[in-house]
PDB file of all heavy atoms in Angstrom:
ATOM      1  N   LEU A1316       6.239 -11.075  11.563  1.00  0.00           N
ATOM      2  CA  LEU A1316       5.336  -9.958  11.853  1.00  0.00           C
ATOM      3  C   LEU A1316       3.982 -10.557  12.167  1.00  0.00           C
ATOM      4  O   LEU A1316       3.383 -11.214  11.316  1.00  0.00           O
ATOM      5  CB  LEU A1316       5.231  -9.003  10.658  1.00  0.00           C
ATOM      6  CG  LEU A1316       4.312  -7.793  10.865  1.00  0.00           C
ATOM      7  CD1 LEU A1316       4.916  -6.849  11.899  1.00  0.00           C
ATOM      8  CD2 LEU A1316       4.072  -7.064   9.556  1.00  0.00           C
ATOM      9  N   HIS A1317       3.535 -10.346  13.400  1.00  0.00           N
ATOM     10  CA  HIS A1317       2.260 -10.895  13.842  1.00  0.00           C
ATOM     11  C   HIS A1317       1.223  -9.781  13.875  1.00  0.00           C
ATOM     12  O   HIS A1317       1.469  -8.716  14.452  1.00  0.00           O
ATOM     13  CB  HIS A1317       2.412 -11.523  15.234  1.00  0.00           C
ATOM     14  CG  HIS A1317       1.183 -12.230  15.709  1.00  0.00           C
ATOM     15  ND1 HIS A1317       0.787 -13.458  15.222  1.00  0.00           N
ATOM     16  CD2 HIS A1317       0.253 -11.866  16.618  1.00  0.00           C
ATOM     17  CE1 HIS A1317      -0.325 -13.827  15.827  1.00  0.00           C
ATOM     18  NE2 HIS A1317      -0.671 -12.887  16.678  1.00  0.00           N
ATOM     19  N   ILE A1318       0.080 -10.046  13.254  1.00  0.00           N
ATOM     20  CA  ILE A1318      -1.018  -9.080  13.245  1.00  0.00           C
ATOM     21  C   ILE A1318      -2.158  -9.656  14.074  1.00  0.00           C
ATOM     22  O   ILE A1318      -2.639 -10.771  13.797  1.00  0.00           O
ATOM     23  CB  ILE A1318      -1.496  -8.782  11.815  1.00  0.00           C
ATOM     24  CG1 ILE A1318      -0.320  -8.294  10.961  1.00  0.00           C
ATOM     25  CG2 ILE A1318      -2.608  -7.731  11.828  1.00  0.00           C
ATOM     26  CD1 ILE A1318      -0.655  -8.097   9.485  1.00  0.00           C
ATOM     27  N   THR A1319      -2.563  -8.920  15.064  1.00  0.00           N
ATOM     28  CA  THR A1319      -3.612  -9.372  15.985  1.00  0.00           C
ATOM     29  C   THR A1319      -4.948  -8.744  15.619  1.00  0.00           C
ATOM     30  O   THR A1319      -5.006  -7.566  15.277  1.00  0.00           O
ATOM     31  CB  THR A1319      -3.238  -8.986  17.428  1.00  0.00           C
ATOM     32  OG1 THR A1319      -1.966  -9.532  17.753  1.00  0.00           O
ATOM     33  CG2 THR A1319      -4.279  -9.487  18.416  1.00  0.00           C
ATOM     34  N   ALA A1320      -5.991  -9.552  15.703  1.00  0.00           N
ATOM     35  CA  ALA A1320      -7.363  -9.056  15.463  1.00  0.00           C
ATOM     36  C   ALA A1320      -7.413  -8.239  14.183  1.00  0.00           C
ATOM     37  O   ALA A1320      -7.689  -7.034  14.204  1.00  0.00           O
ATOM     38  CB  ALA A1320      -7.844  -8.247  16.660  1.00  0.00           C
ATOM     39  N   SER A1321      -7.156  -8.889  13.070  1.00  0.00           N
ATOM     40  CA  SER A1321      -7.020  -8.189  11.795  1.00  0.00           C
ATOM     41  C   SER A1321      -8.258  -7.363  11.453  1.00  0.00           C
ATOM     42  O   SER A1321      -9.391  -7.693  11.823  1.00  0.00           O
ATOM     43  CB  SER A1321      -6.751  -9.198  10.680  1.00  0.00           C
ATOM     44  OG  SER A1321      -7.818 -10.113  10.564  1.00  0.00           O
ATOM     45  N   GLN A1322      -7.987  -6.269  10.740  1.00  0.00           N
ATOM     46  CA  GLN A1322      -9.043  -5.377  10.274  1.00  0.00           C
ATOM     47  C   GLN A1322      -8.942  -5.259   8.760  1.00  0.00           C
ATOM     48  O   GLN A1322      -7.893  -5.529   8.172  1.00  0.00           O
ATOM     49  CB  GLN A1322      -8.885  -3.999  10.925  1.00  0.00           C
ATOM     50  CG  GLN A1322      -8.977  -4.031  12.446  1.00  0.00           C
ATOM     51  CD  GLN A1322      -8.747  -2.665  13.075  1.00  0.00           C
ATOM     52  OE1 GLN A1322      -8.479  -1.676  12.388  1.00  0.00           O
ATOM     53  NE2 GLN A1322      -8.851  -2.603  14.402  1.00  0.00           N
ATOM     54  N   LEU A1323     -10.026  -4.813   8.145  1.00  0.00           N
ATOM     55  CA  LEU A1323     -10.026  -4.686   6.681  1.00  0.00           C
ATOM     56  C   LEU A1323      -8.888  -3.769   6.212  1.00  0.00           C
ATOM     57  O   LEU A1323      -8.317  -3.978   5.143  1.00  0.00           O
ATOM     58  CB  LEU A1323     -11.369  -4.146   6.202  1.00  0.00           C
ATOM     59  CG  LEU A1323     -12.582  -5.045   6.470  1.00  0.00           C
ATOM     60  CD1 LEU A1323     -13.861  -4.373   5.971  1.00  0.00           C
ATOM     61  CD2 LEU A1323     -12.405  -6.415   5.824  1.00  0.00           C
ATOM     62  N   SER A1324      -8.551  -2.784   7.027  1.00  0.00           N
ATOM     63  CA  SER A1324      -7.495  -1.840   6.651  1.00  0.00           C
ATOM     64  C   SER A1324      -6.097  -2.458   6.692  1.00  0.00           C
ATOM     65  O   SER A1324      -5.129  -1.825   6.245  1.00  0.00           O
ATOM     66  CB  SER A1324      -7.522  -0.629   7.585  1.00  0.00           C
ATOM     67  OG  SER A1324      -7.338  -1.039   8.929  1.00  0.00           O
ATOM     68  N   ASP A1325      -5.998  -3.669   7.202  1.00  0.00           N
ATOM     69  CA  ASP A1325      -4.709  -4.361   7.198  1.00  0.00           C
ATOM     70  C   ASP A1325      -4.389  -4.967   5.837  1.00  0.00           C
ATOM     71  O   ASP A1325      -3.268  -5.430   5.608  1.00  0.00           O
ATOM     72  CB  ASP A1325      -4.683  -5.471   8.256  1.00  0.00           C
ATOM     73  CG  ASP A1325      -4.751  -4.946   9.677  1.00  0.00           C
ATOM     74  OD1 ASP A1325      -4.259  -3.819   9.918  1.00  0.00           O
ATOM     75  OD2 ASP A1325      -5.308  -5.651  10.550  1.00  0.00           O
ATOM     76  N   SER A1326      -5.361  -4.989   4.940  1.00  0.00           N
ATOM     77  CA  SER A1326      -5.118  -5.502   3.598  1.00  0.00           C
ATOM     78  C   SER A1326      -4.057  -4.642   2.916  1.00  0.00           C
ATOM     79  O   SER A1326      -4.255  -3.441   2.717  1.00  0.00           O
ATOM     80  CB  SER A1326      -6.399  -5.484   2.772  1.00  0.00           C
ATOM     81  OG  SER A1326      -7.361  -6.365   3.305  1.00  0.00           O
ATOM     82  N   ALA A1327      -2.931  -5.255   2.590  1.00  0.00           N
ATOM     83  CA  ALA A1327      -1.787  -4.512   2.063  1.00  0.00           C
ATOM     84  C   ALA A1327      -0.672  -5.502   1.764  1.00  0.00           C
ATOM     85  O   ALA A1327      -0.808  -6.703   2.023  1.00  0.00           O
ATOM     86  CB  ALA A1327      -1.291  -3.485   3.080  1.00  0.00           C
ATOM     87  N   SER A1328       0.424  -4.978   1.227  1.00  0.00           N
ATOM     88  CA  SER A1328       1.649  -5.766   1.113  1.00  0.00           C
ATOM     89  C   SER A1328       2.570  -5.408   2.262  1.00  0.00           C
ATOM     90  O   SER A1328       2.653  -4.235   2.654  1.00  0.00           O
ATOM     91  CB  SER A1328       2.345  -5.487  -0.217  1.00  0.00           C
ATOM     92  OG  SER A1328       1.628  -6.037  -1.294  1.00  0.00           O
ATOM     93  N   TYR A1329       3.252  -6.416   2.788  1.00  0.00           N
ATOM     94  CA  TYR A1329       4.162  -6.202   3.922  1.00  0.00           C
ATOM     95  C   TYR A1329       5.566  -6.588   3.470  1.00  0.00           C
ATOM     96  O   TYR A1329       5.799  -7.715   3.033  1.00  0.00           O
ATOM     97  CB  TYR A1329       3.706  -7.022   5.117  1.00  0.00           C
ATOM     98  CG  TYR A1329       2.402  -6.510   5.674  1.00  0.00           C
ATOM     99  CD1 TYR A1329       1.191  -6.900   5.119  1.00  0.00           C
ATOM    100  CD2 TYR A1329       2.376  -5.594   6.715  1.00  0.00           C
ATOM    101  CE1 TYR A1329      -0.008  -6.393   5.597  1.00  0.00           C
ATOM    102  CE2 TYR A1329       1.181  -5.087   7.207  1.00  0.00           C
ATOM    103  CZ  TYR A1329      -0.005  -5.491   6.632  1.00  0.00           C
ATOM    104  OH  TYR A1329      -1.188  -4.990   7.105  1.00  0.00           O
ATOM    105  N   ILE A1330       6.473  -5.639   3.576  1.00  0.00           N
ATOM    106  CA  ILE A1330       7.817  -5.799   3.039  1.00  0.00           C
ATOM    107  C   ILE A1330       8.840  -5.829   4.166  1.00  0.00           C
ATOM    108  O   ILE A1330       8.801  -4.980   5.067  1.00  0.00           O
ATOM    109  CB  ILE A1330       8.159  -4.649   2.059  1.00  0.00           C
ATOM    110  CG1 ILE A1330       7.140  -4.609   0.910  1.00  0.00           C
ATOM    111  CG2 ILE A1330       9.571  -4.808   1.499  1.00  0.00           C
ATOM    112  CD1 ILE A1330       7.256  -3.382   0.037  1.00  0.00           C
ATOM    113  N   CYS A1331       9.738  -6.791   4.102  1.00  0.00           N
ATOM    114  CA  CYS A1331      10.825  -6.933   5.073  1.00  0.00           C
ATOM    115  C   CYS A1331      12.112  -6.411   4.425  1.00  0.00           C
ATOM    116  O   CYS A1331      12.411  -6.745   3.267  1.00  0.00           O
ATOM    117  CB  CYS A1331      10.964  -8.411   5.444  1.00  0.00           C
ATOM    118  SG  CYS A1331      12.329  -8.817   6.540  1.00  0.00           S
ATOM    119  N   VAL A1332      12.855  -5.581   5.145  1.00  0.00           N
ATOM    120  CA  VAL A1332      14.097  -4.992   4.626  1.00  0.00           C
ATOM    121  C   VAL A1332      15.207  -5.199   5.653  1.00  0.00           C
ATOM    122  O   VAL A1332      15.041  -4.848   6.818  1.00  0.00           O
ATOM    123  CB  VAL A1332      13.935  -3.486   4.348  1.00  0.00           C
ATOM    124  CG1 VAL A1332      15.215  -2.928   3.721  1.00  0.00           C
ATOM    125  CG2 VAL A1332      12.743  -3.214   3.449  1.00  0.00           C
ATOM    126  N   VAL A1333      16.324  -5.756   5.204  1.00  0.00           N
ATOM    127  CA  VAL A1333      17.434  -6.028   6.109  1.00  0.00           C
ATOM    128  C   VAL A1333      18.640  -5.184   5.704  1.00  0.00           C
ATOM    129  O   VAL A1333      18.938  -5.053   4.509  1.00  0.00           O
ATOM    130  CB  VAL A1333      17.799  -7.519   6.108  1.00  0.00           C
ATOM    131  CG1 VAL A1333      18.915  -7.802   7.126  1.00  0.00           C
ATOM    132  CG2 VAL A1333      16.580  -8.367   6.447  1.00  0.00           C
ATOM    133  N   THR A1334      19.331  -4.636   6.690  1.00  0.00           N
ATOM    134  CA  THR A1334      20.460  -3.751   6.438  1.00  0.00           C
ATOM    135  C   THR A1334      21.761  -4.380   6.905  1.00  0.00           C
ATOM    136  O   THR A1334      21.828  -4.971   7.990  1.00  0.00           O
ATOM    137  CB  THR A1334      20.256  -2.420   7.163  1.00  0.00           C
ATOM    138  OG1 THR A1334      19.021  -1.855   6.753  1.00  0.00           O
ATOM    139  CG2 THR A1334      21.377  -1.439   6.856  1.00  0.00           C
ATOM    140  N   ILE A1335      22.795  -4.230   6.071  1.00  0.00           N
ATOM    141  CA  ILE A1335      24.129  -4.709   6.423  1.00  0.00           C
ATOM    142  C   ILE A1335      24.778  -3.725   7.375  1.00  0.00           C
ATOM    143  O   ILE A1335      24.630  -2.508   7.216  1.00  0.00           O
ATOM    144  CB  ILE A1335      24.993  -4.865   5.155  1.00  0.00           C
ATOM    145  CG1 ILE A1335      24.402  -5.957   4.254  1.00  0.00           C
ATOM    146  CG2 ILE A1335      26.447  -5.189   5.483  1.00  0.00           C
ATOM    147  CD1 ILE A1335      25.091  -6.076   2.923  1.00  0.00           C
ATOM    148  N   TYR A1336      25.532  -4.206   8.343  1.00  0.00           N
ATOM    149  CA  TYR A1336      26.113  -3.378   9.388  1.00  0.00           C
ATOM    150  C   TYR A1336      26.998  -2.273   8.831  1.00  0.00           C
ATOM    151  O   TYR A1336      26.890  -1.138   9.211  1.00  0.00           O
ATOM    152  CB  TYR A1336      26.927  -4.234  10.351  1.00  0.00           C
ATOM    153  CG  TYR A1336      27.640  -3.423  11.404  1.00  0.00           C
ATOM    154  CD1 TYR A1336      26.925  -2.843  12.443  1.00  0.00           C
ATOM    155  CD2 TYR A1336      29.009  -3.214  11.335  1.00  0.00           C
ATOM    156  CE1 TYR A1336      27.561  -2.086  13.401  1.00  0.00           C
ATOM    157  CE2 TYR A1336      29.645  -2.456  12.295  1.00  0.00           C
ATOM    158  CZ  TYR A1336      28.920  -1.905  13.316  1.00  0.00           C
ATOM    159  OH  TYR A1336      29.554  -1.145  14.264  1.00  0.00           O
ATOM    160  N   SER A1337      27.889  -2.621   7.901  1.00  0.00           N
ATOM    161  CA  SER A1337      28.847  -1.631   7.414  1.00  0.00           C
ATOM    162  C   SER A1337      28.279  -0.782   6.300  1.00  0.00           C
ATOM    163  O   SER A1337      28.937   0.111   5.802  1.00  0.00           O
ATOM    164  CB  SER A1337      30.115  -2.327   6.913  1.00  0.00           C
ATOM    165  OG  SER A1337      29.785  -3.226   5.881  1.00  0.00           O
ATOM    166  N   GLY A1338      27.067  -1.103   5.917  1.00  0.00           N
ATOM    167  CA  GLY A1338      26.474  -0.402   4.788  1.00  0.00           C
ATOM    168  C   GLY A1338      25.785   0.878   5.195  1.00  0.00           C
ATOM    169  O   GLY A1338      25.495   1.123   6.341  1.00  0.00           O
ATOM    170  N   GLY A1339      25.556   1.706   4.218  1.00  0.00           N
ATOM    171  CA  GLY A1339      24.800   2.933   4.448  1.00  0.00           C
ATOM    172  C   GLY A1339      24.141   3.321   3.156  1.00  0.00           C
ATOM    173  O   GLY A1339      23.230   4.101   3.113  1.00  0.00           O
ATOM    174  N   GLY A1340      24.609   2.691   2.102  1.00  0.00           N
ATOM    175  CA  GLY A1340      24.097   3.035   0.786  1.00  0.00           C
ATOM    176  C   GLY A1340      23.262   1.924   0.198  1.00  0.00           C
ATOM    177  O   GLY A1340      22.747   1.086   0.908  1.00  0.00           O
ATOM    178  N   ALA A1341      23.174   1.922  -1.115  1.00  0.00           N
ATOM    179  CA  ALA A1341      22.291   0.985  -1.798  1.00  0.00           C
ATOM    180  C   ALA A1341      22.687  -0.457  -1.533  1.00  0.00           C
ATOM    181  O   ALA A1341      21.841  -1.321  -1.389  1.00  0.00           O
ATOM    182  CB  ALA A1341      22.304   1.277  -3.294  1.00  0.00           C
ATOM    183  N   ASP A1342      23.985  -0.736  -1.459  1.00  0.00           N
ATOM    184  CA  ASP A1342      24.411  -2.101  -1.233  1.00  0.00           C
ATOM    185  C   ASP A1342      24.086  -2.580   0.162  1.00  0.00           C
ATOM    186  O   ASP A1342      24.125  -3.772   0.439  1.00  0.00           O
ATOM    187  CB  ASP A1342      25.926  -2.222  -1.459  1.00  0.00           C
ATOM    188  CG  ASP A1342      26.257  -2.229  -2.926  1.00  0.00           C
ATOM    189  OD1 ASP A1342      25.333  -2.349  -3.739  1.00  0.00           O
ATOM    190  OD2 ASP A1342      27.449  -2.119  -3.251  1.00  0.00           O
ATOM    191  N   GLY A1343      23.780  -1.668   1.054  1.00  0.00           N
ATOM    192  CA  GLY A1343      23.534  -2.038   2.435  1.00  0.00           C
ATOM    193  C   GLY A1343      22.119  -2.471   2.708  1.00  0.00           C
ATOM    194  O   GLY A1343      21.819  -2.949   3.787  1.00  0.00           O
ATOM    195  N   LEU A1344      21.232  -2.317   1.761  1.00  0.00           N
ATOM    196  CA  LEU A1344      19.825  -2.656   1.957  1.00  0.00           C
ATOM    197  C   LEU A1344      19.438  -3.830   1.074  1.00  0.00           C
ATOM    198  O   LEU A1344      19.710  -3.823  -0.121  1.00  0.00           O
ATOM    199  CB  LEU A1344      18.928  -1.471   1.602  1.00  0.00           C
ATOM    200  CG  LEU A1344      19.057  -0.214   2.456  1.00  0.00           C
ATOM    201  CD1 LEU A1344      18.180   0.893   1.894  1.00  0.00           C
ATOM    202  CD2 LEU A1344      18.665  -0.512   3.886  1.00  0.00           C
TER     203      LEU A1344
END
Side-chain angles (χ1 to χ4, degrees):
Chain A
L1316 180 68
H1317 186 75
I1318 304 174
T1319 304
S1321 61
Q1322 299 177 358
L1323 296 179
S1324 59
D1325 294 330
S1326 295
S1328 289
Y1329 292 84
I1330 302 170
C1331 176
V1332 184
V1333 183
T1334 304
I1335 295 174
Y1336 176 73
S1337 59
D1342 284 349
L1344 296 175

